[in-house]
Every structure is written in structure tokens, then in C-alpha cells.
């Protein structure tokens, strides 16, 4: 249709971190419809479909895998003057893509997946002054030479970058008045906030591979932080996390170096609503005692996994402190027993529990959990003491699903 406003290839979709997500196989049904014919399922659109797409002058949204299209041909995208959102997987040197972007000044959202583009984007991003979303996290060779241009995008709200960020990069980003979400799966190096530089006041969501605080306060750079997601979490104490009083979500993975002292920094985060800790092999009950000795009035969702030294006593402290728990996920915590499940059963707001790889639980504990007043779903996976044949006869409205193998 020459009046098509959107062409979307099912191989591309926006993932949680703002970068394009590509499925293993696609049908490209919408693109085939625009081409006026049938297209066999493949991982990329063909040249014939691409030529027809660039003739759709009314197109506003384009999401496709164009990795089979020669880089030089991508310049034809510049003819789509009305394009507002572009989610694209491409290959080649990137010169054709850069030329196309120079003609798409009306873009409000740009999400790229490109394995080899490097310095080619330099000189073309600064002209995209309407951009609100810029996701370059899947361009692994892209260098930080683009940062001065990125710092000129005054409407930018969401930014994903593929390279490590240091204090000079953060100082450039502080020039963006409405930036709310910042993503990099590499590390961030904090430094002292100089008197001539402003913090990133509007950033509420920060996702990073890791953060090296070097004793510098995370709150000094991100005073309005509400969500912190770390792929690798080593030492929360070095980030002075206790000062981040507005944090509502903390998602921490690969926490093998997280100590009891570091975990204790969560104490006093009274706005915390969601807590996820994975692979914290060094955590003991002492860490939970330090954090949950008082009340955590807002905490509703807790997920802990890979904490072999944590016992029933730690979970008792948690349930006593968090009166609004709505969902709990526990994985590979081998010291926990049915005592924890029976304690969870007394949480009056708890409606969903997931248990995985915990050998101390039994069918009796599952029965107690399923009887909790607001319980709606109990998922059990790979818990050696829980046999599916013994898990039955629960009250109506409660789903209990047991998979004996991990």
C-alpha cells in the first residue's frame, strides 16, 4: 500500500534495554504485503522488498532486518522524509547508513543493530535534533567519538551506548536536559563531580554492566535515580548506595563479590519496591539482619538466587520487615526449608511465588504456601523434595505448577 504508515518485520522488536531484539526466524509478513507478494520466511528482507519499502513516502515507522541489503543501497532510506521511528539491523561498512541518517532529520526514535559500524556515524547524529530515543547498544564497534554529537540532542530521553562510560562522558550527558534512561552493558567509572559540571538530574533509570564507584557517591551523579540494574555487582558500599534514597528498584546480577557490608547499604532505602540479587555466594544471615532489622515499608517484589549461605532465619527477618510482599522468587538457596514457606504463607498480600533448585522444600511446605490468603500462583522447578504426584488438592483459584527437573 502506498499509504502504509508502518512496516514491521517480526524479527525486530524493542527489548527492555532500548536496543533492537532480533528473533531467530521471521515471516516479514508486513513487508511482504507492502511488496504486493509473498515472501518466504528468512532472517532478512530481500532487495526487492527493500526497493518497494523506500517508495512508501507516507511511512512513519520502519522495523526490519536489512542485513542482506548492500550498505550503499541503504542510502535510499533518506527518501522516507516522513519517517519518525527506525529500528534497523544492517551490515557493511556503514557509510550508506550514515548517508541515510543525514536525510532523516525528523526521526524521533533510532534503534540500530550493526556489527561493524564504527566511525561512520560521526557527523550524522548531530542533525537528528528530534530524537527522543537513541539505542546503539548493539553496535559493538562504535566508539565514543560520537559523544559530542549525542550531547547536542536536546530532546533525548532514552540512550543506549555500547562502550564504557567515564566521568568525561557523564559530563557531556549532563547537558541533556530531559535524559531519563541511560543504558550501557559495559562498565561506568565514576569520579568526583567538579564544581563546573551538573549531575544528570533527570535520569531515573540506569542500566550498566558494572559501576566502579571508587568511593564516589552514585547519588552525586544521579540524584533522582529510581531504577538501578547492574549485570555484575561487586561492591555496593563503594557506590555509597545508601545516599540514593529515591531508588525503587535494584536489580543486581553476578553478585559473587557482594559482601555482607555491601548488602547492608540497602538499609534505609525506604522507597525500595523491587529487589533482585543473583549469585551472591558470600551473603550470610548477617547481611539480612543488617538490612531488615527495621521495616522496609515499600518492598513488594523480592528475588534471590544463588545464595547458599542464607538460611531460614534470614527469610524470617525479611518477611517480618516487609509487610507488603506481593511476589517472591527463590532459587538455589540450599539451606532453606519448609520453615521459610510456612513463614511466607503468613504474608497477607503475597500472591505469587517461584521456587527453583531448592532441595530443602517439600510438598507439605508447598501446601502451606498455597493456602496463603491471597495466593494465586506457585511455580516449582527442580526442587528435589517436591514431587508433583504429592502436590494436589489445593483450593480453587490457586495455580500450583511443579516441574521436577531443572
Amino acid at each position: 500500500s502506498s499509504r502504509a504508515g508502518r512496516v514491521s518485520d517480526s524479527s525486530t522488536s524493542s527489548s527492555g534495554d532500548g536496543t533492537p531484539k532480533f528473533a531467530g526466524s521471521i515471516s516479514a509478513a508486513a513487508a511482504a504485503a507492502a511488496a504486493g507478494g509473498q515472501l518466504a520466511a528468512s532472517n532478512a528482507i530481500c532487495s526487492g522488498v527493500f526497493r518497494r519499502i523506500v517508495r512508501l513516502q507516507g511511512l512513519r515507522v520502519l522495523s526490519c532486518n536489512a542485513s542482506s541489503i548492500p550498505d550503499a543501497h541503504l542510502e535510499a532510506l533518506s527518501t522516507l522524509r516522513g519517517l519518525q521511528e527506525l529500528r534497523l539491523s544492517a551490515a557493511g561498512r556503514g557509510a550508506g547508513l550514515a548517508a541515510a541518517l543525514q536525510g532523516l532529520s525528523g526521526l524521533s526514535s533510532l534503534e540500530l543493530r550493526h556489527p561493524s559500524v564504527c566511525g561512520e556515524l560521526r557527523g550524522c547524529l548531530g542533525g537528528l535534533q528530534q530524537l527522543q530515543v537513541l539505542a546503539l547498544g548493539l553496535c559493538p564497534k562504535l566508539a565514543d567519538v560520537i559523544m559530542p554529537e549525542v550531547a547536542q540532542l536536546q530532546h533525548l530521553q532514552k540512550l543506549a551506548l555500547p562502550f564504557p562510560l567515564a566521568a568525561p562522558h557523564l559530563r557531556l550527558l549532563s547537558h541533556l536536559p530531559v535524559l531519563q534512561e541511560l543504558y550501557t552493558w559495559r562498565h561506568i567509572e565514576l569520579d568526583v563531580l567538579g564544581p563546573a559540571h551538573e549531575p544528570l538530574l533527570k535520569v531515573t533509570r540506569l542500566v550498566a554492566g558494572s559501576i566502579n564507584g571508587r568511593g564516589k557517591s552514585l547519588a552525586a551523579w544521579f540524584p533522582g535515580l529510581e531504577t538501578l540494574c547492574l549485570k555484575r555487582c561487586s561492591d555496593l558500599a563503594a557506590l555509597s548506595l545508601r545516599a540514593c534514597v529515591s531508588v525503587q528498584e535494584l536489580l543486581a546480577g553476578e553478585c559473587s563479590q557482594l559482601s555482607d557490608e555491601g548488602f547492608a547499604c540497602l538499609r534505609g532505602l525506604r522507597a525500595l519496591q523491587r529487589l533482585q540479587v543473583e549469585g551472591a555466594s558470600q551473603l550470610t544471615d548477617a547481611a539480612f539482619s543488617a538490612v531488615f532489622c527495621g521495616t522496609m515499608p515499600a518492598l513488594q517484589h523480592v528475588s534471590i538466587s544463588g545464595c547458599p549461605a542464607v538460611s531460614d532465619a534470614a527469610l524470617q527477618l525479611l518477611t517480618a520487615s516487609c509487610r507488603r510482599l506481593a511476589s517472591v522468587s527463590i532459587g538455589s538457596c540450599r539451606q532453606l526449608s519448609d520453615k521459610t514457606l510456612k513463614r511466607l504463607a503468613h504474608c497477607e498480600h503475597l500472591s505469587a511465588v517461584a521456587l527453583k533448585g531448592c532441595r530443602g522444600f517439600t510438598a507439605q511446605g508447598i501446601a502451606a504456601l498455597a493456602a496463603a490468603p491471597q495466593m494465586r500462583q506457585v511455580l516449582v522447578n527442580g526442587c528435589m523434595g517436591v514431587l508433583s504426584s504429592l502436590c494436589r488438592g489445593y483450593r480453587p483459584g490457586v495455580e500450583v505448577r511443579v516441574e521436577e527437573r531443572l
Side-chain angles (χ1 to χ4, degrees), residues 315-363:
L315 270 294
Q316 181 176 355
L317 288 167
L318 187 148
T319 54
S321 175
C322 309
R323 304 296 179 84
R324 298 181 60 193
L325 279 180
S327 69
V328 172
S329 177
I330 302 173
S332 300
C333 296
R334 61 192 180 205
Q335 290 199 42
L336 299 184
S337 71
D338 283 351
K339 290 181 180 179
T340 286
L341 302 187
K342 292 174 182 178
R343 182 70 186 181
L344 287 172
H346 289 89
C347 297
E348 57 184 285
H349 301 290
L350 191 63
S351 62
V353 174
L355 308 171
K356 183 176 181 179
C358 298
R359 63 190 183 190
F361 299 147
T362 70

Side-chain angles (χ1 to χ4, degrees), residues 121-129 131 133-136 142-163 165 169 172-177 179 182:
L121 294 187
R122 187 178 185 181
C124 65
L125 293 176
L128 304 178
Q129 287 297 311
L131 273 185
V133 176
L134 178 59
L136 303 173
L142 194 62
D144 63 358
V145 294
I146 65 169
M147 286 300 295
E149 292 178 71
V150 171
Q152 299 173 20
L153 304 176
Q154 296 296 295
H155 297 287
L156 202 59
Q157 300 176 20
K158 185 175 181 179
L159 175 63
L161 296 168
F163 42 78
L165 298 179
H169 302 119
L172 283 172
L173 295 179
S174 69
H175 299 157
L176 300 176
L179 185 64
L182 178 60

Side-chain angles (χ1 to χ4, degrees), residues 156-220:
L156 202 59
Q157 300 176 20
K158 185 175 181 179
L159 175 63
L161 296 168
F163 42 78
L165 298 179
H169 302 119
L170 297 179
R171 292 185 180 109
L172 283 172
L173 295 179
S174 69
H175 299 157
L176 300 176
V178 294
L179 185 64
Q180 299 173 17
E181 301 182 25
L182 178 60
Y183 302 76
T184 174
W185 284 114
R186 305 292 295 277
H187 65 272
I188 296 178
E189 291 278 349
L190 298 182
D191 199 352
V192 177
L193 191 66
H197 304 285
E198 295 292 331
L200 286 80
L201 295 172
K202 298 291 185 179
V203 172
T204 58
R205 184 178 183 88
L206 179 62
V207 178
S210 62
I211 300 179
N212 189 343
R214 299 184 183 276
K216 310 303 186 298
S217 173
L218 187 65

Side-chain angles (χ1 to χ4, degrees), residues 2-268:
S2 61
R3 293 177 294 177
R6 177 187 296 264
V7 171
S8 179
D9 176 334
S10 62
S11 68
T12 61
S13 63
S14 190
S15 68
D17 63 356
T19 52
K21 179 180 178 182
F22 297 83
S25 62
I26 53 96
S27 62
Q38 297 299 317
L39 181 66
S42 82
N43 198 40
I45 62 172
C46 65
S47 296
V49 171
F50 181 76
R51 286 194 297 269
R52 287 166 173 81
I53 287 175
V54 297
R55 296 174 187 170
L56 302 175
Q57 293 301 302
L59 201 62
R60 298 185 302 276
V61 178
L62 175 59
S63 175
C64 73
N65 184 343
S67 57
S68 65
I69 307 300
D71 178 68
H73 295 180
L74 292 178
E75 186 175 354
L77 289 172
S78 63
T79 63
L80 301 175
R81 299 293 184 180
L83 200 62
Q84 298 173 9
E85 299 179 25
L86 177 60
R87 292 181 289 275
L88 187 70
S89 175
R93 284 194 314 112
L97 173 62
L101 293 178
Q102 290 180 347
L104 298 175
S105 58
L107 281 180
S108 62
S109 177
L110 174 61
E111 303 179 13
L112 293 180
R113 175 176 182 169
H114 201 299
S116 55
V117 69
C118 186
E120 289 80 10
L121 294 187
R122 187 178 185 181
C124 65
L125 293 176
L128 304 178
Q129 287 297 311
Q130 303 304 313
L131 273 185
Q132 299 176 25
V133 176
L134 178 59
L136 303 173
L138 295 179
C139 301
K141 294 187 178 181
L142 194 62
D144 63 358
V145 294
I146 65 169
M147 286 300 295
E149 292 178 71
V150 171
Q152 299 173 20
L153 304 176
Q154 296 296 295
H155 297 287
L156 202 59
Q157 300 176 20
K158 185 175 181 179
L159 175 63
L161 296 168
F163 42 78
L165 298 179
H169 302 119
L170 297 179
R171 292 185 180 109
L172 283 172
L173 295 179
S174 69
H175 299 157
L176 300 176
V178 294
L179 185 64
Q180 299 173 17
E181 301 182 25
L182 178 60
Y183 302 76
T184 174
W185 284 114
R186 305 292 295 277
H187 65 272
I188 296 178
E189 291 278 349
L190 298 182
D191 199 352
V192 177
L193 191 66
H197 304 285
E198 295 292 331
L200 286 80
L201 295 172
K202 298 291 185 179
V203 172
T204 58
R205 184 178 183 88
L206 179 62
V207 178
S210 62
I211 300 179
N212 189 343
R214 299 184 183 276
K216 310 303 186 298
S217 173
L218 187 65
W221 282 100
F222 304 97
L225 195 62
E226 296 176 359
T227 298
L228 176 61
C229 178
L230 299 175
K231 184 179 180 182
R232 295 175 300 280
C233 179
S234 57
D235 189 0
L236 295 176
L239 300 179
S240 301
L241 189 62
R242 189 171 293 171
C244 298
V245 295
S246 60
V247 167
Q248 299 175 16
E249 294 183 299
L250 175 61
L251 313 177
E254 299 182 23
C255 300
S256 60
Q257 302 301 313
L258 181 60
S259 65
D260 287 352
E261 180 186 2
F263 190 80
C265 290
L266 302 183
R267 182 180 178 181

